[in-house]
Structures are given as structure tokens and as C-alpha cells.
Amino acid sequence: MKTQSRRDFFKTAGLLGAGVAGLQPSKASAAPVNILSDDRMGVLVDTTVCIGCRQCEIACKEEHGLPVGSLDDYVDRTIMSEMRRPDTTALTVINEYENANNPGTASDVKVQCMHCDHPACVSACIVGAFSKQENGAVIWDESRCIGCRYCMIACPFQVPAFEFDKALQPRIMKCDLCYETRTSKGLQTACVEACPVQALTFGKRYDLLKLAHKKIAGKPDEYLDHIYGEKEVGGTSWLYLSAVEFNVLDFPQLSDKPAPGATEPLQHAIFKYFIPPVSLYALLGGIMWLGKNKDEEEEA
Amino acid sequence: MEEYLKPQPVKKPFFTPTVIFITILLINGLIWAFLRFVFGIGFVSNLDNQHPWGIWIGIDVAAGVALAAGGFTTSALVHIFHKEDFHLIVRPANMTAMIGYTFVALGVLMDLGRWYFGWHLAYMWNGTSVLFEVGICVLTYVTTLYIENIPLLTERFIGLVNLPGLLGKLNRAIDKFLRILDTVAGKIMFFFIILGVVLSCLHQSSLGTLMMLAGPKIHPLWQTPISPLLFFFSAISVGFPMVIMESLIASKSFGLKPEMDILSKLGRYVGPLLGIYLAFKIGDMAIRGTFVYLTEFSLESVMWIIEVVFGVILPMRMFLWDKVLHSRPLLLTASFLAIFGVLMFRVNVFLIAYTPTYSFKSYLPSIGEISITLGFISLEILIYRLLALNFPVIAQPIRSYLPKTKYTIRGGLIK
């Protein structure tokens, strides 16, 4: 390095810089699909109507090729007294909460991926394995995933589950809104179809919001004036109506800001046209060169 | 004046009682690593859907990256800011960084459920992902570190390539290749030196953005918008203590005289650097009013106090004290405290501060996880020793001092 002249310094720096710039593939082609369509679909869950029959759990397992087990197990309601979470064996579960001020009645809450409008998992995924499709579904691409589990860190609802017991091809598992088999073809999801009491309504998200507001306006005594998912983390495709406060039903209390929060703007600020890294490079190069200059003068 | 100190291989036997103990830890780690790859992550770890990341990410990766900061900080100090006094410590620092980052990459592979698809990172880009930025920067930086360490290889073997038997025919070609590599590397090295510093600045800070995405799952004591800045400052302030610690321990292990005059000069930078870091940490706390969380007794508040008092304030005070800078045991203690502080910072952000939305049990690392982490650290130490014994890394006094000749042929003539 010491034998190099200043002119060489610039020549090599320029060449190497150009080489690196030329190697960068276009960013747009690689970015994951993240569409926020006005016509996106969703599901409205009325927790006051749901009877906790768990038919949706069975339908979901059948749809996704997961072992259903004995049907008798689904009649047993003792299991519902403890909170369960979706995992690799069940992409949706129903939890039951007894109403404290109205004994004998209960709220049943179907839990699954909320299909956020601004999904943290899509923002987080290192290889863009998650995408938000035009119909609202947030889906996972097995061919891309490297199994880093950052989506699980990112998800505010803690939905993605990972097959920890598999050494090869472990999957990230969560509700996919039946994207492949149903909703991409205009059909409704397996759980909605299976519901015997119409606690679930499949439709365009704006229609569902209208319906939900109408329900609340119609029976203001029965419903809490809050649609969970209308504003939470910037909006979700799954929307919930309830008679009691949502935190009683183990819904997390979240802000109205999109879940990716400050990280995305921060990330974009750092990498806007690579200006900050390149300026830093130029600055350090300048300092290095000035110092080199001084050294040479001293030596002369 | 010609240098009396010159980097050269250390002449010592590889095995000592300590090395044998470390080797046992390594073998234990390898057994667990084998089990992990055959039976899956769930078999050896306590990770579950509520706690997707454990000590492999918190310690091996997050703390590993920070503790390998000795490379870029020393490199910047000597090559960019031209503080030539510290020239002799650049080589060991860069070599340690190379080993450290290699093991960060291996640590990630251990944790990746589909590790064999790791190469997807090279062409499946997600610009919004902080992890992607960290990943790509670390990968590029590992490559850069290997390039920066080319002189170790060329210096060691030029003129000494002597393969046995049939391979001997290649001696001349390999020697020629090494000479070309040496010349080319010398000409373009400045590019990689600056690149290494830029990449380090980027990913050291982005590591701090990583957990911000978890939003309300991160305890307010650590969930701050200036998290990247804190990670960056803490990485810079831990770089020199790492170099000091390694140098002191290596010189003891190799029976060499420690470079106390260089190390104490280097230590002078640490106090102010820790001060800047502490100022931002406390300033952030004051502005966001998070000191209220310190009044309640919880795991988080206790860990925060341990991290800041023993890992920042105490070492800062020690490094600002002349007596500490000139005493070997005190300097080593101060360096250990600073290292402990950054280790705690990473562990706190990645493990302690993380509370899942729904939790059925709390996370404690399993024997398997601890074994693999210890195994990795053991292997790092052994590789450091192996390289220091065989490559010109550590500066030692030259016994047969020759006067400077007019022409020198590097490595001598080929026979």
C-alpha cells in the first residue's frame, strides 16, 4: 500500500466501485409482493354468536392436510377452559371465556393469523418469503424460507409457528386464508364454510366493516363499540365483534400504527439510493487520503 | 530506524493443560451440534413458538458481532486515521475479527431451521428487512476480512512453498500465484479497509434496529428509537477492550512480554468512548422517562442496572485512571468489565427484554444450547492459537537483527 501513488489510489477505487455497483441486481424485481388492495377480502368474527363447536378447527385441518384425530375429542369442552394458541398442529383454535358479569354465558374467540394490512412478517422476512396478496391473504413461500424465525419475533399477534421437531424442511405454519385452494379462486375459506351458526362472515373488508358498524348500531347494548382489527396495527383482514372488552379475551392491546413501526422508515433512510453508506465511504476515504498526503510530505 | 518487533509465528507447543480442557468443551459442543442437525432444533434447545430466538442469536450472533468490533475499530484507527503507533496490533485484531465473524456465520447456520437454503440470501432480497441488511453486510464483511488477512498467507509461504512428491511440480506456480496475490492485494487493500469500516458501521447499528420491530414485546428500558445508535457506540467502545484483553491473554499464554505501552495508549480512547455511549444511554432514558421502570423490582430493572453500572460506568471510570492503564491486571479487569457490559447489553435486548405476547413458560437455555455456544467459543480460541503459532500474526522481537540492505528479495530466491 505504501508504494502506491495517489493517482493509482483513485484509479483502483473508481474501478472497484464501478465493479461493485454493476454487480447489484435490481432491487425492485426481488422485493416481495405487498399489495394493499381496496377490494381485499376479510372475515368478520362475531364472538357473541360463536358457540365454540370447533367445526372450523376440523375443517381447517382437513383443508391443510393436518391430522384431525378423533372427532370425539372436539366435543370435549374441558380443553377450552385453558388458553390455546395456533401452532404447527392446528392453524386455528377456539378459546372460551366465561362472562364475569353474566354467568352462564361465554364468549368464544377463534384465533388465527389476522392477515394484517401492513404485515410485520412481510416487512421482516430476510428473503421475502412472506407476501401480502391482492385479495388480502398473507402467505408464506416454502421455496424461499431459510427458517430464521424473525417473522415470529416480528408478529405482534405471535401467530407464526415453527416445526422445531424437524431436522429437515421445518415449516413456518400459520393460517393462509386458504389462499391456494380457495380464496385465490374466489371461494370462501374452509372455516367460514364450516361454521354452522354464521359467526364468521367472509367478504370484502369494507363491506364487513359496514356490516359490523350496522350490527353495533342495531344492538348497542349487546356489542362493545369497538371492532378489533379495524384500526389495530393499521388494520387487519380479520375483524372481531365482542360483548366484553377485548383484553379480557386475551387480545393484545396494540397501537393504531402499522406493526413494522419505525424500522422501515429507518431502514429506507439508511439505504436511500445508498447515499449514506457511499458518503461515509467517501468521507473515510478522504480522511485516509489526507493523512497519507501528510505522511508523504513528512517522509520527503 | 528498522523495526525490532516484527509479526512472526510464535514458537510454542500447541497443547497445554488449558488447551486440552478447551478441546474437551469443543468435543462436547460438536456432539450437541451433531444432534441438532440430525434431530432438529427442538431436540437440543428450549426454543418454542413463544421464544423463537435464544442464546444462539443473543450471544453467538448479536454479542459475537459486537465483540468482533476490535477489527474495524483498530483498522480505522491505524489505516484511516493514521495512528501508526498501533500498527503492531492491527494484525491480531483483524485476524480475531476474521475468526469471530466466521463463527457468527456458523452460529447463524446453527440457528437457521433451513440452513441449507442460507444461500437464498444472496439473491432473494427484501429491502425492508433489517435482518436482510445485517445478513448481507455480515456476509460481505466476512469476505472483506478474509481479503484483509491475505498478507498473513502470502508472507508465510512466499519462497517457502514446498509440497511433497508429485505436487512438488506445482511449487513454482503456487509461489508465483502467491507473489501476484501479494502485489495485487497490496495495491487494492485500501479499498477493502474502508469498505470493512463502512460495512461494520452499517451492520453494528442495524443489529440495534432488529429487535425494535418486535414493538411492545420489547421492554421499554431497551425499546428506544435510538437503539441503532446505542448499538453502534457500544460496539465502538468495546473494540479496543477486546484487543487489549486478547493481547494480554495471548502474551501470557505464549510467554511473551505484553505491549503495555501500546495497550495503555489504546486504553486512553476507551474512557471517552464509553462516556459518549453512556451519555446517549442516560440521555435517552431521561427524554423517554423510562427511569420510572427502575423504581420497580423486576428482572428487567435489575439486569439494566447490572449492565450499566458494572458494564459501562465502572469500566469507564477505570479506563480514565492512569494507574489502571499502566497496571496489567487492572487493565485486564477494566477490559473484561467493558466486554461484560456489551455482552449484557446484547443479551438484555435479545433475551431479557423480549416478552412474548402470550407466554406459557419462560425461556432458559438448555444444556444443548449452552454446550454448542461454549463449543463455538472453544473452537475460536483454538483456531486463534493455531493461526498465531503458524502465521506471522503476533509481533515479537527479532533476535538475529540484520542491518537494512539495499535490495531485499521477499522470501529469498526460489531454489
Side-chain angles (χ1 to χ4, degrees):
Chain A
M1 222 182 91
K2 283 202 170 132
T3 55
Q4 202 181 22
S5 77
R6 237 169 297 146
R7 191 186 292 166
D8 280 347
F9 184 99
F10 283 124
K11 226 162 44 185
T12 3
L15 276 175
L16 287 165
V20 167
L23 280 175
Q24 265 143 23
S26 90
K27 217 168 145 188
S29 64
V33 177
N34 194 356
I35 306 163
L36 193 59
S37 157
D38 285 339
D39 288 332
R40 61 192 179 275
M41 309 303 286
V43 179
L44 176 66
V45 185
D46 192 333
T47 60
T48 65
V49 174
C50 178
I51 52 170
C53 68
R54 301 177 67 197
Q55 289 302 313
C56 51
E57 289 186 27
I58 300 172
C60 176
K61 284 180 184 172
E62 281 171 349
E63 187 70 23
H64 293 91
L66 296 168
V68 177
S70 160
L71 288 180
D72 294 339
D73 292 346
Y74 294 84
V75 184
D76 176 24
R77 295 181 77 94
T78 53
I79 187 177
M80 298 178 81
S81 58
E82 256 178 71
M83 182 180 68
R84 295 181 299 149
R85 297 289 306 159
D87 57 19
T88 54
T89 60
L91 308 184
T92 184
V93 292
I94 297 188
N95 289 321
E96 192 162 63
Y97 300 86
E98 191 147 330
N99 292 343
N101 41 11
N102 198 356
T105 65
S107 296
D108 288 275
V109 182
K110 180 182 182 297
V111 186
Q112 75 297 304
C113 171
M114 300 289 285
H115 297 273
C116 303
D117 287 346
H118 305 277
C121 53
V122 175
S123 168
C125 182
I126 183 166
V127 287
F130 278 99
S131 57
K132 171 100 176 154
Q133 297 296 327
E134 198 170 354
N135 75 350
V138 176
I139 57 170
W140 171 80
D141 181 352
E142 174 152 26
S143 67
R144 282 177 168 252
C145 179
I146 62 172
C148 73
R149 308 190 292 284
Y150 191 36
C151 50
M152 300 167 73
I153 297 279
C155 179
F157 300 100
Q158 205 184 309
V159 161
F162 178 77
E163 293 181 305
F164 282 100
D165 52 339
K166 274 197 190 171
L168 284 176
Q169 296 294 76
R171 287 172 295 173
I172 293 284
M173 303 195 43
K174 69 168 199 73
C175 161
D176 57 357
L177 207 71
C178 295
Y179 182 76
E180 286 298 325
T181 49
R182 289 164 170 271
T183 53
S184 62
K185 297 170 188 159
L187 301 169
Q188 58 184 356
T189 63
C191 50
V192 173
E193 195 177 277
C195 183
V197 291
Q198 273 94 53
L200 309 176
T201 317
F202 182 79
K204 292 218 159 61
R205 190 176 180 270
Y206 55 73
D207 286 335
L208 295 177
L209 278 173
K210 267 188 239 158
L211 173 67
H213 282 296
K214 221 166 92 186
K215 276 191 167 189
I216 294 173
K219 289 177 184 168
D221 306 335
E222 248 175 66
Y223 290 110
L224 191 72
D225 188 16
H226 179 182
I227 305 167
Y228 192 94
E230 183 182 14
K231 296 202 177 89
E232 274 78 10
V233 288
T236 61
S237 283
W238 281 68
L239 303 161
Y240 287 80
L241 283 172
S242 168
V244 293
E245 287 292 339
F246 281 100
N247 58 350
V248 176
L249 306 181
D250 285 330
F251 280 87
Q253 276 178 307
L254 299 167
S255 85
D256 295 348
K257 289 189 192 121
T263 61
E264 261 189 45
L266 210 62
Q267 194 70 358
H268 288 310
I270 294 176
F271 284 96
K272 189 97 183 171
Y273 307 116
F274 285 90
I275 289 173
V278 171
S279 342
L280 179 61
Y281 193 101
L283 178 70
L284 292 174
I287 296 172
M288 191 177 185
W289 179 67
L290 285 175
K292 190 179 155 70
N293 207 353
K294 215 173 80 188
D295 283 357
E296 273 168 13
E297 273 165 23
E298 276 165 14
E299 272 171 41
Chain B
M1 197 183 76
E2 191 66 346
E3 287 170 331
Y4 286 86
L5 289 166
K6 193 175 179 292
Q8 51 190 312
V10 181
K11 291 192 177 60
K12 285 273 165 184
F14 184 75
F15 281 102
T16 65
T18 321
V19 173
I20 291 168
F21 174 71
I22 292 174
T23 312
I24 293 169
L25 283 181
L26 166 64
I27 293 168
N28 177 46
L30 288 178
I31 294 169
W32 284 100
F34 174 78
L35 293 175
R36 175 256 173 272
F37 283 113
V38 175
F39 297 107
I41 296 174
F43 186 79
V44 296
S45 75
N46 279 346
L47 300 177
D48 54 32
N49 287 331
Q50 284 72 48
H51 306 90
W53 283 0
I55 58 167
W56 290 343
I57 293 291
I59 294 179
D60 299 17
V61 178
V65 165
L67 298 184
F72 90 94
T73 44
T74 319
S75 209
L77 188 67
V78 173
H79 292 306
I80 293 177
F81 296 101
H82 298 278
K83 303 279 180 221
E84 294 292 333
D85 302 354
F86 304 105
H87 204 87
L88 291 176
I89 54 168
V90 177
R91 273 198 183 183
N94 264 341
M95 191 194 74
T96 321
M98 175 181 80
I99 303 172
Y101 270 91
T102 307
F103 279 87
V104 165
L106 289 177
V108 170
L109 279 190
M110 197 56 62
D111 192 74
L112 286 184
R114 301 160 155 251
W115 51 274
Y116 40 83
F117 284 153
W119 46 273
H120 282 180
L121 178 61
Y123 68 100
M124 294 180 183
W125 290 26
N126 180 9
T128 60
S129 170
V130 187
L131 192 61
F132 165 74
E133 194 232 311
V134 173
I136 209 88
C137 277
V138 168
L139 268 190
T140 325
Y141 187 47
V142 175
T143 319
T144 308
L145 278 170
Y146 275 87
I147 294 171
E148 283 186 52
N149 281 289
I150 283 179
L152 296 189
L153 186 76
T154 54
E155 213 170 276
R156 172 71 178 77
F157 288 115
I158 282 181
L160 297 169
V161 184
N162 192 12
L163 296 168
L166 270 177
L167 291 170
K169 290 209 165 75
L170 295 171
N171 283 350
R172 202 171 263 270
I174 293 175
D175 191 84
K176 185 134 196 241
F177 170 73
L178 285 177
R179 279 168 203 269
I180 293 170
L181 191 65
D182 190 59
T183 321
V184 173
K187 284 224 191 292
I188 59 170
M189 197 53 86
F190 73 91
F191 173 81
F192 290 101
I193 288 168
I194 310 175
L195 183 67
V197 177
V198 173
L199 288 170
S200 294
C201 293
L202 290 177
H203 73 257
Q204 292 285 4
S205 52
S206 291
L207 263 179
T209 325
L210 216 51
M211 295 307 271
M212 280 173 64
L213 187 58
K217 291 193 236 175
I218 298 294
H219 193 276
L221 278 173
W222 291 280
Q223 179 58 286
T224 155
I226 67 156
S227 180
L229 210 56
L230 293 178
F231 267 62
F232 178 65
F233 283 134
S234 61
I236 288 190
S237 64
V238 84
F240 298 147
M242 270 309 275
V243 173
I244 294 171
M245 185 274 287
E246 283 153 14
S247 183
L248 288 177
I249 290 187
S251 62
K252 183 158 173 71
S253 169
F254 295 138
L256 300 165
K257 207 170 130 274
E259 309 282 347
M260 277 310 285
D261 47 337
I262 296 184
L263 297 183
S264 54
K265 247 195 229 165
L266 194 61
R268 272 187 206 288
Y269 291 105
V270 182
L273 287 174
L274 278 172
I276 296 171
Y277 164 47
L278 183 69
F280 273 89
K281 196 144 181 132
I282 301 295
D284 166 64
M285 170 167 259
I287 288 167
R288 291 187 305 119
T290 46
F291 41 78
V292 294
Y293 295 100
L294 293 181
T295 57
E296 60 188 54
F297 183 78
S298 67
L299 177 67
E300 284 88 357
S301 63
V302 172
M303 291 297 266
W304 192 92
I305 289 170
I306 293 176
E307 174 200 324
V308 174
V309 172
F310 294 99
V312 188
I313 297 174
L314 193 58
M316 180 184 76
R317 180 66 194 90
M318 285 181 82
F319 273 111
L320 290 173
W321 195 3
D322 263 4
K323 201 182 151 194
V324 172
L325 293 177
H326 293 107
S327 141
R328 215 181 111 154
L330 285 178
L331 190 59
L332 187 61
T333 314
S335 300
F336 266 127
L337 284 172
I339 294 163
F340 168 79
V342 170
L343 176 71
M344 285 298 294
F345 183 26
R346 301 303 188 261
V347 167
N348 281 345
V349 170
F350 280 79
L351 302 176
I352 304 292
Y354 186 82
T355 316
T357 321
Y358 306 96
S359 184
F360 300 100
K361 60 177 198 288
S362 51
Y363 165 80
L364 270 179
S366 70
I367 308 251
E369 286 175 84
I370 296 169
S371 295
I372 288 177
T373 295
L374 283 180
F376 269 162
I377 297 170
S378 309
L379 192 53
E380 281 178 67
I381 297 171
L382 294 181
I383 290 181
Y384 178 93
R385 191 176 173 86
L386 194 70
L387 292 182
L389 294 184
N390 289 292
F391 286 89
V393 179
I394 293 175
Q396 296 155 75
I398 303 171
R399 294 252 162 68
S400 55
Y401 168 64
L402 293 168
K404 197 175 179 182
T405 48
K406 200 166 181 187
Y407 301 104
T408 51
I409 297 168
R410 200 145 179 208
L413 289 165
I414 310 169
K415 274 165 255 165

